[in-house]
């Protein structure tokens, strides 16, 4: 059994995204019941886990698994947590509307007609509507100039009914992402990608206006599942501007001792094996094997990788950067893919937009 599982992770063939025609995040993250809730794992809700402090202590005590008969991990259910968060946001927005007559507004600028970007924008709009956020949308043709995009950003920057501005990426090749993203007011930069927001995140004693959504979602999962971060060893695999790097900064801010593993790291297994908490954001299917993981560690798998699966009606399935079958036997808690970090990203976008409206209107 073990060897067939091993060969499953070793043989998974990564497909080019274009071949799979994946709908964009977070739409493509609907958990397949089989993957999200394998029978041998039981799913504990955040509340259940919090009511079992001894078990979560043991998750991070990260001692030998041999002294425990229960060798399967707790599933960190991002879909469930994201739903709870969306419900909390809806309640807060209703309270704000009642108290001061204001609802948060999110503006999305889409340039070009990429199908995946259009779907992503549509999903954001739906998610906004469901919680009571007003959405604004500008669709510009592919051949628009940088100046035109910046003109729209400037108009949203000064519009008091807009509290968050998001420029859908990727932008057409002739545009300079940096010039465009820098034009977004840092006070409305709900994606948290503005260099000033990242700089504040990195500095001691400073706080950014916004934290990028995916790493914020990872931290929220750890928090809601009662995983202690302070004083723990954490490894982040990947150092991208949108996930790995801010995730490492957040873990450090939460007083973990953090190492970053990247494509040039010589001994990634050895370094990862020391971690009580692992955040993997690489984009390589099943890179992290069971033997990379310290028994009892908490694993947050950000990766979304389509791999060949002739048995699936679509011919592919989504897997993470972590070999789930192996890792779930060693880890104390683990996010599935799909159904882990993915649903959290949009929930954090809504959360950032609400936070912005509250700050701008000084609403407690
Ligand atoms: P990215 O920009 O391509 O960055 C990948 C990072 O992984 C880089 O820092 C790279 O190192 C590192 N890396 C590549 N191969 C490696 C290896 N063999 N060993 C160790 N490190 C390696 O990717 P990203 O945008 O951060 O996304 C990462 C994954 O997360 C993707 O699967 C993406 O689809 C997924 N994602 C999910 C969500 C969500 O909401 N769930 C959101 C964003 C992204 P170098 O810096 O040395 O090149």
């Amino acid at each position: 059994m073990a060897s067939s599982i091993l060969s499953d992770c070793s043989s998974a063939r990564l497909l080019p995204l274009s071949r799979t025609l994946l709908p964009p995040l977070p739409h493509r993250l609907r958990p397949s019941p089989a993957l999200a809730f394998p029978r041998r794992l039981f799913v504990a809700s955040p509340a259940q886990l919090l009511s079992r402090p001894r078990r979560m202590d043991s998750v991070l005590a990260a001692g030998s698994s041999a002294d425990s008969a229960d060798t399967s991990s707790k599933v960190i259910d991002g879909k469930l947590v994201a739903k709870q968060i969306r419900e909390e946001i809806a309640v807060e927005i209703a309270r704000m509307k009642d108290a001061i007559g204001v609802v948060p507004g999110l503006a999305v600028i889409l340039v070009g007609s990429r199908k995946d970007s259009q779907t992503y924008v549509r999903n954001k709009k739906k998610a906004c509507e469901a919680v009571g956020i007003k959405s604004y949308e500008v669709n510009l043709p592919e051949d628009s100039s940088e100046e035109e995009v910046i003109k729209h950003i400037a108009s949203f920057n000064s519009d008091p009914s807009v509290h968050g501005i998001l420029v859908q990426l990727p932008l057409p090749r002739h545009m300079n992402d940096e010039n465009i993203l820098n034009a977004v007011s840092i006070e409305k930069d709900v994606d948290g990608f503005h260099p000033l927001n990242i700089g504040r995140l990195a500095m001691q004693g400073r706080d950014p206006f916004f934290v990028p959504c995916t790493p914020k979602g990872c931290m929220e999962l750890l928090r809601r599942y009662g995983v202690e971060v302070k004083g723990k060893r954490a490894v982040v695999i990947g150092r991208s501007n949108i996930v790995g790097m801010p995730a490492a900064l957040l873990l450090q801010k939460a007083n973990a001792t953090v190492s970053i593993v990247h494509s040039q790291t010589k001994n990634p297994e050895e370094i990862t094996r020391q971690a009580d908490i692992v955040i993997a954001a690489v984009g390589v299917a099943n890179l992290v094997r069971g033997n990379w993981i310290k028994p009892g560690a908490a694993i947050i798998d950000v990766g979304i990788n389509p791999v060949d699966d002739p048995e699936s009606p679509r011919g592919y399935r989504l897997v993470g950067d972590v070999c789930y079958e192996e890792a779930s036997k060693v880890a104390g808690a683990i996010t599935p893919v799909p159904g882990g970090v993915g649903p959290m990203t949009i929930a954090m976008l809504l959360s950032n937009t609400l936070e912005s409206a509250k700050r701008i209107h000084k609403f407690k």
Side-chain angles (χ1 to χ4, degrees), residues 47-128:
Q48 282 171 315
L49 279 174
L50 287 169
S51 68
R52 269 194 226 118
R54 289 190 58 192
R55 173 62 191 161
M56 286 315 286
D57 282 353
S58 71
V59 164
L60 285 177
S64 160
S65 62
D67 52 2
S68 161
D70 177 9
T71 53
S72 57
S73 311
K74 301 290 176 289
V75 177
I76 299 180
D77 187 345
K79 199 181 171 203
L80 176 73
V81 174
K83 182 170 174 280
Q84 285 172 352
I85 292 172
R86 289 197 310 270
E87 285 165 5
E88 290 162 16
I89 290 171
V91 169
E92 270 303 275
I93 291 175
R95 190 173 72 84
M96 189 173 173
K97 190 176 176 187
D98 281 353
I100 59 169
V102 171
V103 295
L106 175 68
V108 179
I109 299 176
L110 174 65
V111 189
S113 51
R114 279 177 64 119
K115 288 271 174 294
D116 56 351
S117 293
Q118 285 172 340
T119 313
Y120 195 14
V121 168
R122 206 166 42 240
N123 287 338
K124 281 173 186 163
K125 200 172 168 182
K126 265 206 284 196
C128 282

Side-chain angles (χ1 to χ4, degrees), residues 25 214 238-240 242-243 262-263 281-283 287 302-305 342 345:
L25 288 171
T214 302
R239 55 177 170 180
S240 70
I242 63 166
V243 194
H262 48 75
S263 68
V282 190
L287 174 78
V302 181
I304 302 166
N305 310 291
T345 298

Side-chain angles (χ1 to χ4, degrees), residues 83-270:
K83 182 170 174 280
Q84 285 172 352
I85 292 172
R86 289 197 310 270
E87 285 165 5
E88 290 162 16
I89 290 171
V91 169
E92 270 303 275
I93 291 175
R95 190 173 72 84
M96 189 173 173
K97 190 176 176 187
D98 281 353
I100 59 169
V102 171
V103 295
L106 175 68
V108 179
I109 299 176
L110 174 65
V111 189
S113 51
R114 279 177 64 119
K115 288 271 174 294
D116 56 351
S117 293
Q118 285 172 340
T119 313
Y120 195 14
V121 168
R122 206 166 42 240
N123 287 338
K124 281 173 186 163
K125 200 172 168 182
K126 265 206 284 196
C128 282
E129 277 161 12
V131 296
I133 292 175
K134 188 164 172 27
S135 51
Y136 302 82
E137 201 181 315
V138 168
N139 292 295
L140 296 171
E142 178 86 20
D143 59 359
S144 307
S145 67
E146 234 174 80
E147 291 67 34
E148 277 172 277
V149 181
I150 290 174
K151 199 181 78 194
H152 284 283
I153 294 175
S155 131
F156 285 134
N157 280 342
S158 55
D159 183 341
S161 60
V162 171
H163 306 95
I165 302 169
L166 195 148
V167 180
Q168 183 63 43
L169 300 175
L171 286 162
R173 279 165 179 247
H174 65 277
M175 291 190 183
N176 178 324
D177 289 16
E178 201 178 331
N179 291 344
I180 288 178
L181 296 180
N182 286 358
V184 176
S185 152
I186 61 162
E187 285 158 37
K188 297 188 179 185
D189 171 40
V190 282
D191 256 343
F193 294 157
H194 195 290
L196 284 175
N197 270 323
I198 295 287
R200 284 172 179 234
L201 182 63
M203 289 172 81
Q204 297 273 350
R206 307 278 173 91
D207 284 313
F209 283 96
F210 303 98
V211 170
C213 300
T214 302
K216 184 177 177 180
C218 297
M219 297 302 287
E220 194 60 22
L221 285 175
L222 292 172
R223 192 179 74 76
R224 292 199 181 219
Y225 273 83
V227 176
E228 201 188 330
V229 177
K230 185 176 164 185
K232 301 297 175 187
R233 297 211 59 165
V235 164
V236 179
I237 314 179
R239 55 177 170 180
S240 70
N241 286 343
I242 63 166
V243 194
M245 178 266 290
L249 293 173
L250 282 169
L251 285 163
Q252 185 176 246
K253 246 189 163 56
N255 294 314
T257 302
V258 185
S259 303
I260 298 172
V261 166
H262 48 75
S263 68
Q264 307 305 309
T265 303
K266 294 267 184 279
N267 47 355
E269 302 91 332
E270 224 173 89

Side-chain angles (χ1 to χ4, degrees), residues 212-364:
C213 300
T214 302
K216 184 177 177 180
C218 297
M219 297 302 287
E220 194 60 22
L221 285 175
L222 292 172
R223 192 179 74 76
R224 292 199 181 219
Y225 273 83
V227 176
E228 201 188 330
V229 177
K230 185 176 164 185
K232 301 297 175 187
R233 297 211 59 165
V235 164
V236 179
I237 314 179
R239 55 177 170 180
S240 70
N241 286 343
I242 63 166
V243 194
M245 178 266 290
L249 293 173
L250 282 169
L251 285 163
Q252 185 176 246
K253 246 189 163 56
N255 294 314
T257 302
V258 185
S259 303
I260 298 172
V261 166
H262 48 75
S263 68
Q264 307 305 309
T265 303
K266 294 267 184 279
N267 47 355
E269 302 91 332
E270 224 173 89
I271 295 170
T272 308
R273 220 164 14 240
Q274 293 170 20
D276 303 308
I277 298 166
V278 176
I279 296 184
V282 190
V284 177
N286 298 322
L287 174 78
V288 179
R289 308 299 296 264
N291 63 359
W292 288 38
I293 292 170
K294 181 174 177 177
I299 312 295
I300 305 291
D301 188 354
V302 181
I304 302 166
N305 310 291
V307 295
D308 245 344
D309 183 359
E311 281 172 29
S312 148
R314 289 174 166 176
Y316 71 91
R317 68 193 155 94
L318 297 179
V319 301
D321 293 336
V322 178
C323 174
Y324 188 86
E325 289 80 1
E326 293 176 11
S328 59
K329 293 200 173 108
V330 187
I334 185 167
T335 56
V337 176
V341 176
M344 292 297 287
T345 298
I346 206 144
M348 293 299 104
L349 174 67
L350 304 176
S351 152
N352 279 354
T353 307
L354 170 61
E355 200 179 302
S356 176
K358 281 180 154 183
R359 185 165 42 228
I360 289 172
H361 295 281
K362 300 186 172 51
F363 180 71
K364 298 270 178 229

